[in-house]
Amino acid sequence: MAGGPETNEAEIETSPPSYEESKPMPGTYPLLQQPGPVTRGNPYRESEQRCSLMFGFCPDPSDLTLNQDWAAVLMVKCRDVPCLMREGFYWDGANVIREEGYIDCDFTYALCRQDGKRWAGTRHYFLKDLQQPLRWVATIQVFALNPRTIYQFDLNQLSRERSMQWATAIHQSSEHLIYHWHHCSPAERFNAIYDNMPMEGWWPWPRKN
């Protein structure tokens, strides 16, 4: 940045940005920014924690049949879910471990369609927190009817406001359900930890506005 302190190339490669500096606009995915440093290994697969947060996406969140072109699920392994509730859950292009992405036909976590059609393939993305030690690691799986959609999928299509359909969280120790939100069921939304406390980032509810 013009007028700021100089930073050598070695620091850029070895030092991740601070959490405050890396926060994107809540519920957005500015993929056009430069990717993070090259990463070796897959912290999501290496983590022995259970998935504790899940977010579901599709083009039309009001369509419960999921008879749509694509659907996606974001699965997060987190050491402290209440911490992410208090501080906000943020991620963007810098969190994506691009070297670990791939495409296959693994439908283990595929969201079910009601029209009987089969998804053509699955695209896998892996993400990690920018803080050290890592507070969370995650994977995104995208399922689509058309292989071309898989090959050219744009993560900008994942949006808290436009395409998120549901979100759920369990306590990482007890595995009890502590959070639930669905686009189509306002009466069934709850946060068993912080009730109506507004939350930031990718949490869909409650919000300040």
Side-chain angles (χ1 to χ4, degrees), residues 75-90:
M75 295 176 282
V76 184
K77 295 179 179 180
C78 176
R79 295 185 177 186
D80 189 344
V81 174
C83 176
L84 290 190
M85 288 181 171
R86 295 190 305 270
E87 298 182 0
F89 174 47
Y90 295 88

Side-chain angles (χ1 to χ4, degrees), residues 2 17 19 21 26 60 68-69 90 108 110 118 121 136 146 153 169 185 201:
Y19 186 61
E21 292 174 345
D60 181 3
Q68 305 183 47
D69 293 339
Y90 295 88
T108 303
R118 292 180 57 84
W136 60 266
N146 190 323
F153 191 78
S185 304

Side-chain angles (χ1 to χ4, degrees), residues 12 31-38 93-99:
I12 295 176
L31 189 59
L32 296 179
Q33 67 176 275
Q34 292 297 314
V38 173
N95 298 93
V96 178
I97 308 172
R98 303 196 183 200
E99 295 76 21

Side-chain angles (χ1 to χ4, degrees), residues 31-148:
L31 189 59
L32 296 179
Q33 67 176 275
Q34 292 297 314
V38 173
T39 300
R40 297 289 183 260
N42 189 318
Y44 184 85
R45 288 181 172 170
E46 294 167 359
S47 171
E48 297 181 355
Q49 299 180 42
R50 292 176 59 87
C51 175
S52 52
L53 299 176
M54 296 183 72
F55 300 83
F57 302 85
C58 56
D60 181 3
S62 65
D63 182 2
L64 297 178
T65 69
L66 283 179
N67 298 338
Q68 305 183 47
D69 293 339
W70 61 267
V73 58
L74 165 61
M75 295 176 282
V76 184
K77 295 179 179 180
C78 176
R79 295 185 177 186
D80 189 344
V81 174
C83 176
L84 290 190
M85 288 181 171
R86 295 190 305 270
E87 298 182 0
F89 174 47
Y90 295 88
W91 65 270
D92 67 1
N95 298 93
V96 178
I97 308 172
R98 303 196 183 200
E99 295 76 21
E100 292 297 317
Y102 64 93
I103 295 172
D104 65 8
C105 293
D106 179 2
F107 303 119
T108 303
Y109 298 100
L111 306 175
C112 297
R113 304 174 60 89
Q114 294 186 15
D115 59 6
K117 295 182 180 180
R118 292 180 57 84
W119 300 115
T122 307
R123 184 160 182 172
H124 301 257
Y125 301 86
F126 293 92
L127 304 83
K128 67 175 183 178
D129 188 16
L130 298 181
Q131 282 194 2
Q132 292 292 338
L134 299 178
R135 298 174 306 162
W136 60 266
V137 290
T139 182
I140 298 173
Q141 295 186 10
V142 181
F143 316 98
L145 278 178
N146 190 323
R148 185 180 182 88

